[in-house]
Amino acid sequence: MRETWRWFGPADQVSLDDVAQAGARGIVTALHHIAPGDVWSSEEIASRQATIRSQSVHLPEPLEWEVVESLPVSEDIKRQTGNWRDHVEAYKTSLSHLAAAGIKVICYNFMPVLDWTRTDLAHAVPNRATCMRFDLADFVMFDMFLLKREGAASDFPEDVVEAAQQRFSETDDTFKAALVNNIICGLPGGNDQLTLDDIRAHLAAYEPVDQAALSSHQTAFLELVAPHAQSLGLRLCCHPDDPPYSLLGLPRIMSTETDYKRLVKSVDLPANGITLCSGSLGARADNDLPGIMQRLGAHVHFLHLRNVAREHQTVFGSFHESEHLGGDVDIPALIAAVLAEEESRREGGREDHSIPFRPDHGQDILDDLSRRAQPGYPAIGRLKGLAELRGVIAGLEYASRRGAAE
């Protein structure tokens, strides 16, 4: 398993020295300043590579940009509106430039409008660390009473609607403004600053697009892009929905194992693969993460390893991001399945037998609490997570060697 670290570029409060000291070897980054639908030029890619190399040149082995996260898919492509075919051609050109630069793994998502959704970016846990949280009643309050989406109440259980209504009447304007900001703050590292009116306009544009249509649009995108990626020796990997269920009346198509089976069958090429995010998929109790890895592992090109504590017994509910080994996802069992897949790949002679992973998110602890890095991406919290994951990997590998020797 190849240790990588997400870095948001020169403005990131977590430096490349921090990354090196954490022990990660590969960098996961993106050109967030380039708008979706535009080409990532060779010059822009080379500039980011040069920044990473120059800032780590003092290391015995300088850091390298190994995974793109994300090369964004435009809303026009997802809706098949406007200049979507031109955006696909731009996407293919960007892939060509990335391949020429030696970067092979390209993560993307197909979530409409919002790339992830949390209601609290600094939820306090008992030891006074903070984490990101999704509170269903708070989200319903936003949907019904702040965004004022027509028909929102019919999407939620009656008791949750009642709780949201009571919460709206009890909370002050400061809390409500913070809630709006938390939900629509956009992709970490991005330059998109959405307003409530922007969200309403996006929702109106998506009215003709249901789940079947969005799935069809994704297949059409992959039919055009995946063969090109295959010819370049690239590995595309689709990130799951976060959270993995429909919000704001929008369709979500990457939330379950069934969704991923559809994805890999839609365009049956090695280049068409999966980003397995244990935290996103783990927010649903009916997602069996070790089982998904066992059954679909041959298609997994990238791993996000994090954990969540579900605060519900149903498919749809509140959750918060826990310590990496402290939530409801069986991380050791998932890693065991990853190691088994890697062994199978080595035996089969696959070049990509070492799957890149990164410690995804993390609780803000110690100096993280004053550094104010990107929400979910603290230095020390992720270092702690990486150390825990590294320990699980080492223990499982030792047990495997000992078992083979006996």
Side-chain angles (χ1 to χ4, degrees):
M1 296 176 68
R2 176 74 172 171
E3 296 181 5
T4 66
W5 188 279
R6 192 172 191 183
W7 185 64
F8 292 102
D12 198 328
Q13 294 299 305
V14 180
S15 71
L16 290 173
D17 277 348
D18 295 333
V19 178
Q21 290 166 22
R25 291 294 176 261
I27 295 298
V28 179
T29 192
L31 305 179
H32 295 294
H33 59 285
I34 299 177
D38 289 348
V39 171
W40 287 16
S41 70
S42 298
E43 292 76 16
E44 288 278 7
I45 294 167
S47 176
R48 179 59 57 86
Q49 287 180 309
T51 297
I52 294 168
R53 290 167 182 162
S54 65
Q55 292 187 24
S56 62
V57 71
H58 57 285
L59 299 174
E61 181 184 348
L63 298 167
E64 291 284 349
W65 184 2
E66 296 186 5
V67 179
V68 171
E69 186 177 351
S70 296
L71 181 57
V73 179
S74 72
E75 300 299 332
D76 279 341
I77 291 175
K78 295 171 191 173
R79 296 191 305 260
Q80 287 196 359
T81 57
N83 297 324
W84 76 274
R85 291 187 181 276
D86 292 338
H87 289 184
V88 169
E89 290 305 311
Y91 203 96
K92 292 167 68 176
T93 301
S94 297
L95 292 178
S96 296
H97 293 165
L98 288 164
I103 304 169
K104 294 186 175 182
V105 181
I106 318 295
C107 176
Y108 71 98
N109 75 66
F110 224 77
M111 284 179 271
V113 185
L114 297 177
D115 289 304
W116 54 268
T117 305
R118 299 292 186 272
T119 58
D120 191 344
L121 306 183
H123 171 69
V125 294
N127 67 358
R128 296 188 179 178
T130 65
C131 65
M132 297 205 294
R133 181 170 184 256
F134 178 85
D135 182 285
L136 181 56
D138 281 348
F139 181 81
V140 176
M141 180 179 76
F142 164 83
D143 197 5
M144 291 181 59
F145 303 112
L146 300 173
L147 183 64
K148 300 179 181 179
R149 178 173 66 90
E150 185 176 352
S154 63
D155 288 348
F156 305 103
E158 185 176 340
D159 61 325
V160 177
V161 171
E162 291 175 356
Q165 190 165 16
Q166 181 175 353
R167 196 165 298 181
F168 180 75
S169 66
E170 294 175 350
T171 54
D172 59 22
D173 290 342
T174 300
F175 178 89
K176 293 167 184 172
L179 178 63
V180 170
N181 181 69
N182 292 344
I183 290 175
I184 67 175
C185 69
L187 179 68
N191 57 6
D192 50 336
Q193 298 293 324
L194 298 176
T195 67
L196 286 175
D197 284 340
D198 292 331
I199 296 295
R200 294 182 185 110
H202 278 298
L203 295 184
Y206 268 94
E207 284 182 3
V209 183
D210 60 11
Q211 186 169 342
L214 188 61
S215 295
S216 175
H217 296 172
Q218 183 186 42
T219 298
F221 167 72
L222 288 171
E223 287 174 343
L224 294 168
V225 169
H228 182 64
Q230 183 74 21
S231 72
L232 296 169
L234 301 179
R235 299 188 288 277
L236 300 174
C237 38
C238 188
H239 188 281
D241 303 323
D242 187 9
Y245 27 73
S246 174
L247 297 176
L248 303 178
L250 292 165
R252 287 285 179 92
I253 59 171
M254 289 282 95
S255 296
T256 66
E257 181 175 354
T258 299
D259 293 333
Y260 274 104
K261 286 179 177 177
R262 174 195 56 78
L263 174 83
V264 298
K265 288 179 180 178
S266 66
V267 179
D268 188 12
L269 290 172
N272 177 30
I274 298 168
T275 296
L276 189 65
C277 178
S278 57
S280 296
L281 293 171
R284 286 180 66 126
D286 58 347
N287 277 331
D288 169 20
L289 271 298
I292 292 173
M293 187 67 212
Q294 290 164 3
R295 291 181 287 272
L296 296 177
H299 306 280
V300 172
H301 299 323
F302 187 34
L303 292 155
H304 290 179
L305 296 181
R306 64 178 172 90
N307 217 326
V308 292
R310 295 188 293 267
E311 303 169 20
H312 60 91
Q313 300 301 317
T314 59
V315 170
F316 184 64
S318 304
F319 63 88
H320 65 271
E321 300 188 355
S322 64
E323 296 174 305
H324 281 71
L325 301 183
D328 287 305
V329 177
D330 189 342
I331 294 292
L334 173 57
I335 292 176
V338 174
L339 293 174
E341 171 60 27
E342 289 190 329
E343 179 61 25
S344 175
R345 293 185 184 191
R346 280 190 290 270
E347 292 175 354
R350 282 181 57 165
E351 177 186 351
D352 61 337
H353 56 79
S354 182
I355 304 173
F357 80 94
R358 64 175 178 83
D360 193 20
H361 296 189
Q363 296 189 343
D364 285 70
I365 59 175
L366 306 176
D367 291 351
D368 293 330
L369 294 165
S370 58
R371 189 186 300 227
R372 302 182 67 82
Q374 296 283 356
Y377 291 92
I380 302 172
R382 281 187 290 168
L383 167 61
K384 177 185 176 186
L386 179 58
E388 293 174 341
L389 297 169
R390 189 182 288 145
V392 171
I393 294 166
L396 290 170
E397 289 179 337
Y398 172 76
S400 177
R401 291 195 301 270
R402 183 174 181 181
E406 293 175 351

